Structure formats: C-alpha cells, structure tokens
C-alpha cells in the first residue's frame, strides 16, 4: 500500500482582478480561466504536458459552461489528455478543489493537478421567468405554426421581464451583506474597526505592488496589468464619510469601502508530488498539508460567514496545533466585519465552549501576521478564484520566509473551507510585518 505522500505547491498564477462591468466587461469565465491556465503553462513550461486533473469552476455561470474546466483545458497548451472537472462551492471553490487534489496526490492516485477558479458578474446569465420559459419549450416542440403561436396565448408583457442572478441566500432572502450586518451587531464590530481593516488591506496590497511582490503572481490579460479595485490613496477620513450599503438605519456599519466589490477574474495553482516536481526540475514553494470543510446553521441564526471558525477548530484538533502556531494568517476578506467577527469568536470563551466544544478559547492572533500582502478588500474577490489566489500568495510567502500558514475562506450557504500550508524550511528570523 502506498504511504501518504507530501503534496507540493509549485506555484500559482492569476490575472489582474477587475471590478465588475469595467475592464473585463466583454470577457467570459471561459476566456479568463483559459488565459489564467495558459499563464501557468508559460510560467512552469507545461506546454504539451499531461496534467492528471484540473479541478475548478465558477459560481456565476451560464448553462453553456456546464463543462467549464474541461473546455478551458482544451483552450490551453496543456496536453488534450488532461481531464477537466467542474466543481463549485461558492467562494471556497478553488480551495476545495485544491483539497481534493491534495488528497489524491497524497494517496498516490495522481501525480499532479491544477486548482482553478474564475468568476464574472459582468457576464452574468439573464433568464426569463419560468412561465415564459415553459412557453418557449412548448413552442419549440410544437409541430404546426398554429400550435407554436398557441403556446403564447394569454401571455402578458410581465413575463418578459428578465431575471438577473441574485446573491441573496435562498433560505433567508437576505443578501450576504445583510447577513454580515447581523454578524457585526452580534459581535459588536464597529464601523471604525471595519474601516481600519479595509484601509490596512489597501495599504498592504499597494506596498506589495510597489516592491514587485505581484510581478510573478500575475499575468496580464486583456490589456490589464494591475487589480483595478486597489486604492493607493485610500484615507480613513474619506471612507468614514461613505453611506452604509446594506442597513440604512443607525445600526448599519457596512459600506462600499469595507465590503468587497463584485469582481471579475481568475486564478489557478499547480500541486504535485515531490517526485513529479523533481522530474520536471520545478522547485517546491510550500506544502499543502491539511484542509477542512464545515458548515453552520445560519438559517437558525448562526452567522452566515462563521463556518471557518468551526473548520479551523476541527483542523487544529486534528493536527495538535494551536491557533498561535502560525507565521501567516490568510483570512479571506469578504467583509471587514466578517474577518473581525471570526477573530472575536476565537477569543470568546462562551462561543468556543458552546459552539466549538472547546474547554478554552482558541485565543488571539498576532495581527501583524494577518494578510500581510493585502487581501480581498483591496484586490477584489472573483468568488471561485479567491482560494487559488490565496494559496499562490501564501506559497510565495512561505518559500521566502519559511514557517507555517493558515488559510480561512467563508462561503455562501453558511460554509467555510480552511487549510494549512507549510514552508520547506522553518521560519527564518524576522518575519515581514504588515504595513501600517
């Protein structure tokens, strides 16, 4: 029987992320995913190479994209024998895909794989109401002109009203922002705390661009070279004047500045066994060692985006690690309030005892180790792409500085996907401090 093998992260690539309906308004998920995969091919000399599996997908997709991952593979210079598996788990899509590949590589089932995610709300599917859709189906199956016309008898103009996709939760009817407002109120997260986190995210991402950190993580696409949501000139004074976005009462705290915008983009990451990497002369940047999936009962009042608190607790119990045993914390910033609520929950003895089943709270983290190169509030959040973006960024951090990193991604539907990554060496001396 094959023993469990280490799973190497060779590296990640993404295209610049752009606010929806801006620079990628004419690009599809397939366009962006294909370009990102080809960027990885070029970066790691994979033209004509068979990859055992490419797994990933998109959250907002057309019916024509039912085989998105495979179609994207066929658009690239990878060997056409490379299978493509389409997967979707909301914002955790590409991190979940990486976890599946990790398990297969560790077990010896495959030698290499690519996790990929793409999303666009610029090219969102617009559909008709079900009543009109049924009329179209009936007309298509009719044998005579009279029968075709009869399918539209009694039709009202209201049936022609388009139905754009909704980001609201089907079980509650609330948007993710409205749910996060409830979380902010439950955990006492202030507007000032949220604005500060957003300010720091932009500040750190801008510094990362200036120092050239992004140069080998991003490949240009459609004439774009840089994330267009990033604001180098962001100021706390200015964002404090913004109106609230989801709760217009005096209790509202979420704004356009401390919430991620709808974003278009794609990202991917290459995973492999050490043997496969060595045979191709590819250095190992880091190792993906553990992943964890969890969900909470948000319909009954548990916070929609609080599932990572559960996933991290389970993962730490499995590994015997403490929350403080990490050199980097990559917590996806869907909203500043969600990040802060997560940190507060880990510090809260009642929550940790009653929800996580722990005798003591997980405790606090060193905030200087949090999202040290910025995160989603600054660079944007194409739903399915964020996990792969984070893996690629953390792998580079670990390759440079060594140590261990924690990934936490919340998702729609009250789910969370988390992971642990290890460097090829122990933490080296002074770690990078997040820009202030």
């Amino acid at each position: 029987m094959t023993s469990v093998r280490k799973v190497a992260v060779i590296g990640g690539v993404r295209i610049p992320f752009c606010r929806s309906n801006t620079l990628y308004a004419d690009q599809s998920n397939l366009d962006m995913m294909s370009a990102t995969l080809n960027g990885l091919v070029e970066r790691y000399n994979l033209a004509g190479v068979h990859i055992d599996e490419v797994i990933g997908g998109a959250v907002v997709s057309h019916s024509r994209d039912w085989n998105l991952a495979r179609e994207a593979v066929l658009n690239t210079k990878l060997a056409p024998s490379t299978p493509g598996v389409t997967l979707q788990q909301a914002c955790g899509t590409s991190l979940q895909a990486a976890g599946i590949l990790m398990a297969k590589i560790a077990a010896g089932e495959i030698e290499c794989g690519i996790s990929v995610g793409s999303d666009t709300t610029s090219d969102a599917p617009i559909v008709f109401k079900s009543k009109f859709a049924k009329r179209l189906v009936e007309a298509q199956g009719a044998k005579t002109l009279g029968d075709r016309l009869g399918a539209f008898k009694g039709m009202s103009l209201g049936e022609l009203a388009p139905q754009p996709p909704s980001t609201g939760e089907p079980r509650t009817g609330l948007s993710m922002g409205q749910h996060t407002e409830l979380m902010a109120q439950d955990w006492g997260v202030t507007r000032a705390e949220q604005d500060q986190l957003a300010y720091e995210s932009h500040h750190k991402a801008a510094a990362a661009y200036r120092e050239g950190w992004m140069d080998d993580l991003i490949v240009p696409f459609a004439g774009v070279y840089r994330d267009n949501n990033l604001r180098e000139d962001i100021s706390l004074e200015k964002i404090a004047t913004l109106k609230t976005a989801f709760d217009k009462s005096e209790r509202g705290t979420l704004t356009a500045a401390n919430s991620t915008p709808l974003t278009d983009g794609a990202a991917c990451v290459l995973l492999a066994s050490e043997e496969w990497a060595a045979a191709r002369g590819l250095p190992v940047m880091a190792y993906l060692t553990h992943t964890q999936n969890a969900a909470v009962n948000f319909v009954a009042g548990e916070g929609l985006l609080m599932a990572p608190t559960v996933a991290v607790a389970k993962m730490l119990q499995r590994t015997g690690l403490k929350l403080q045993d990490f050199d980097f914390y990559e917590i996806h910033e869907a909203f500043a309030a969600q990040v802060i609520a997560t940190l507060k929950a880990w510090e809260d003895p009642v929550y940790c005892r009653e929800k996580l089943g722990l005798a003591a709270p997980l405790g606090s983290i060193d905030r200087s180790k949090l999202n040290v190169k910025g995160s989603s509030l600054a660079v944007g959040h194409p739903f399915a792409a964020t996990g792969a973006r984070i893996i690629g960024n953390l792998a580079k951090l670990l390759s440079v500085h060594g140590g261990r990193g924690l990934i936490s991604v919340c998702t729609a539907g009250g789910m969370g996907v988390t992971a642990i990554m290890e460097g090829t060496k122990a933490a080296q001396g002074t770690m990078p401090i997040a820009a202030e």
Side-chain angles (χ1 to χ4, degrees):
M1 180 177 292
T2 304
S3 60
V4 175
R5 303 186 299 177
K6 297 176 75 172
V7 179
V9 180
I10 307 305
V13 162
R14 68 178 178 93
I15 60 174
F17 292 170
C18 292
R19 295 173 73 98
S20 289
N21 298 307
T22 61
L23 302 178
Y24 293 163
D26 297 325
Q27 305 298 326
S28 68
N29 276 320
L30 182 59
D31 295 333
M32 294 189 295
M33 184 178 287
S34 302
T36 302
L37 288 171
N38 263 331
L40 192 78
V41 169
E42 295 296 327
R43 181 67 45 83
Y44 295 105
N45 194 27
L46 300 176
V49 174
H50 169 87
I51 299 297
D52 289 335
E53 285 191 28
V54 173
I55 304 180
V59 177
V60 181
S61 62
H62 290 266
S63 58
R64 67 172 182 260
D65 290 331
W66 58 273
N67 209 12
L68 179 62
R70 174 60 175 162
E71 290 298 326
V73 166
L74 292 174
N75 273 351
T76 71
K77 297 176 183 178
L78 291 170
S81 59
T82 299
V85 179
T86 299
L87 170 81
Q88 195 264 85
Q89 192 186 353
C91 308
T93 295
S94 51
L95 183 55
Q96 181 64 263
I100 294 170
L101 291 168
M102 179 194 75
K104 291 188 173 188
I105 293 169
E109 181 179 343
I110 62 176
E111 293 297 321
C112 57
I114 297 172
S115 166
V116 63
S118 175
D119 253 300
T120 171
T121 50
S122 299
D123 183 35
I126 306 296
V127 299
F128 293 107
K129 292 182 178 179
S130 59
K131 188 173 183 179
F132 183 68
K134 289 177 181 177
R135 291 183 187 277
L136 291 175
V137 173
E138 182 181 344
Q140 186 177 29
K143 297 185 182 302
T144 68
L145 177 61
D147 289 340
R148 290 192 189 96
L149 294 175
F152 299 97
K153 184 178 180 181
M155 187 186 79
S156 66
L157 289 176
E159 293 180 37
L160 294 174
Q163 302 292 295
S166 170
T167 56
E169 287 291 336
R171 299 282 174 171
T172 65
L174 299 179
S175 71
M176 191 173 286
Q178 290 171 317
H179 272 286
T180 306
E181 279 283 14
L182 297 176
M183 288 166 50
Q185 292 162 23
D186 287 344
W187 288 100
V189 182
T190 67
R191 166 79 176 268
E193 287 179 289
Q194 296 173 55
D195 286 353
Q196 181 66 36
L197 185 70
Y199 169 82
E200 291 172 359
S201 185
H202 282 268
H203 194 56
K204 289 182 281 190
Y209 266 104
R210 287 195 299 271
E211 69 185 19
W213 179 264
M214 302 293 193
D215 291 353
D216 58 356
L217 293 174
I218 292 179
V219 293
F221 174 65
V224 183
Y225 293 81
R226 181 184 175 98
D227 307 309
N228 79 346
N229 184 63
L230 179 59
R231 299 290 179 265
E232 289 202 53
D233 60 348
I234 190 171
S235 73
L236 285 170
E237 293 76 16
K238 186 173 182 180
I239 62 178
T241 65
L242 296 178
K243 294 180 179 180
T244 55
F246 303 102
D247 184 343
K248 303 299 184 180
S249 74
E250 69 280 357
R251 298 180 305 171
T253 57
L254 274 69
T255 69
N258 58 42
S259 309
T260 53
L262 293 174
T263 313
D264 304 336
C268 62
V269 62
L270 175 62
L271 307 178
S273 67
E274 291 179 300
E275 295 80 6
W276 187 89
R280 296 205 58 79
L282 297 172
V284 174
M285 297 188 78
Y287 296 99
L288 182 60
T289 59
H290 299 85
T291 62
Q292 186 74 52
N293 203 8
V296 295
N297 188 1
F298 72 96
V299 180
E302 296 179 359
L304 175 70
L305 304 182
M306 296 298 287
T309 64
V310 180
V312 166
K314 289 182 177 180
M315 194 165 58
L316 294 179
Q317 285 181 306
R318 283 198 292 117
T319 60
L321 294 170
K322 301 190 300 293
L323 184 60
Q324 295 72 32
D325 290 339
F326 296 89
D327 303 288
F328 300 99
Y329 299 87
E330 289 287 329
I331 301 180
H332 159 50
E333 300 166 344
F335 302 87
Q338 150 262 321
V339 176
I340 297 166
T342 294
L343 298 177
K344 286 176 178 282
W346 286 333
E347 296 167 351
D348 187 76
V350 175
Y351 183 86
C352 287
R353 181 178 65 251
E354 296 182 357
K355 177 60 185 176
L356 305 182
L358 303 175
L362 291 175
S364 303
I365 69 167
D366 181 345
R367 293 282 189 100
S368 70
K369 300 176 180 180
L370 173 64
N371 298 342
V372 298
K373 300 299 181 183
S375 193
S376 305
L377 285 169
V379 303
H381 171 42
F383 307 126
T386 288
R389 174 191 68 79
I390 290 174
I391 294 173
N393 184 68
L394 181 56
K396 184 174 179 180
L397 282 168
L398 295 173
S399 73
V400 174
H401 302 286
R404 179 186 294 123
L406 176 70
I407 298 175
S408 171
V409 176
C410 57
T411 90
M415 298 182 289
V417 188
T418 61
I420 294 173
M421 289 174 58
E422 304 269 358
T424 60
K425 56 190 177 184
Q428 302 294 299
T430 304
M431 303 300 284
I433 301 299
E436 297 179 355

